[in-house]
Amino acid sequence: EMEITKSLIGCTPWFLPHISNSSVCDPWIERLFMKELGKSNNECDKCLPDCQSSETTVVASSAKFRACNSKNINVSPFCDLSERVDPVKWATDVQKMYDNASWPDYVESIDSPIRDNYGTEERKNGELLQPLIQTHATYNAYERDIAVVNIFFGKTTTTEYEKTLKMTNVDFLANIGDLFGLG
């Protein structure tokens, strides 16, 4: 069924097993692919009842980003001092070492992960709950905006059917002979 649908649509969604030389569908064509795949359930003469399904194990987990410290400086990509990822996770800690008036140029150029919660003065002034301006004026982008997604697919499992004869011609004759008391 996937081969029939792939020949109609011209691609295969990223989450399905890929047939040789198949391109990956974009999300809009993927919806069309799944609709067509659902329609073609009875069009496949050679398909067994469950040959169109496969199961993939999926595990999801999450964790907060670790703070940069002496144990992971230049080990974690977010705590690398030579090849920085903007915003720089450790920028706030470095800036706290200096008072605002005396920041060296290299500290001034670091892109901090601290973001303004309101974006503009107009939005800030339009806040109905004024105490929030003091307590929630800024936030850390690594806590609310930035995530790293790693997708790992486990072993794909597909049911395989095998046809074998339960009884050969010799077995059949032996059973008939046994039935008539010839054995």
Side-chain angles (χ1 to χ4, degrees):
E1 289 183 36
M2 273 188 50
E3 289 176 10
I4 295 168
T5 308
K6 187 227 174 232
S7 66
L8 287 172
I9 304 297
C11 61
T12 306
W14 63 270
F15 52 84
L16 291 177
H18 280 268
I19 302 162
S20 62
N21 299 329
S22 67
S23 62
V24 177
C25 299
D26 65 42
W28 294 272
I29 296 177
E30 175 264 324
R31 289 183 70 183
L32 180 63
F33 183 97
M34 295 310 290
K35 278 185 183 177
E36 284 298 319
L37 187 63
K39 287 180 190 176
S40 65
N41 279 344
N42 298 324
E43 294 176 13
C44 181
D45 296 331
K46 64 183 179 189
C47 293
L48 293 169
D50 198 30
C51 70
Q52 75 270 9
S53 69
S54 61
E55 296 177 18
T56 304
T57 57
V58 178
V59 176
S61 64
S62 66
K64 291 184 176 186
F65 291 114
R66 290 177 49 191
C68 294
N69 57 31
S70 61
K71 294 178 184 171
N72 63 0
I73 288 288
N74 291 331
V75 175
S76 168
F78 294 115
C79 301
D80 196 335
L81 299 177
S82 59
E83 294 184 33
R84 297 192 321 218
V85 175
D86 286 331
V88 179
K89 183 146 178 54
W90 44 265
T92 309
D93 297 324
V94 171
Q95 290 167 349
K96 285 179 186 175
M97 293 172 55
Y98 301 93
D99 51 353
N100 292 345
S102 64
W103 282 358
D105 291 339
Y106 63 90
V107 174
E108 184 73 41
S109 68
I110 297 173
D111 185 19
S112 173
I114 303 302
R115 301 287 184 249
D116 184 14
N117 223 355
Y118 294 98
T120 65
E121 283 297 316
E122 183 180 334
R123 288 178 65 196
K124 187 185 240 182
N125 293 335
E127 175 63 65
L128 294 175
L129 303 171
Q130 289 296 315
L132 289 179
I133 294 173
Q134 297 301 316
T135 58
H136 294 88
T138 60
Y139 68 93
N140 189 327
Y142 279 97
E143 294 171 1
R144 289 194 15 207
D145 293 344
I146 300 172
V148 175
V149 176
N150 294 310
I151 299 174
F152 299 100
F153 293 98
K155 186 176 180 182
T156 303
T157 306
T158 304
T159 306
E160 182 179 335
Y161 292 96
E162 183 179 324
K163 290 183 178 180
T164 58
L165 294 174
K166 289 222 180 233
M167 189 179 296
T168 63
N169 290 337
V170 174
D171 292 335
F172 180 70
L173 286 174
N175 279 337
I176 289 178
D178 191 38
L179 189 64
F180 292 120
L182 299 175

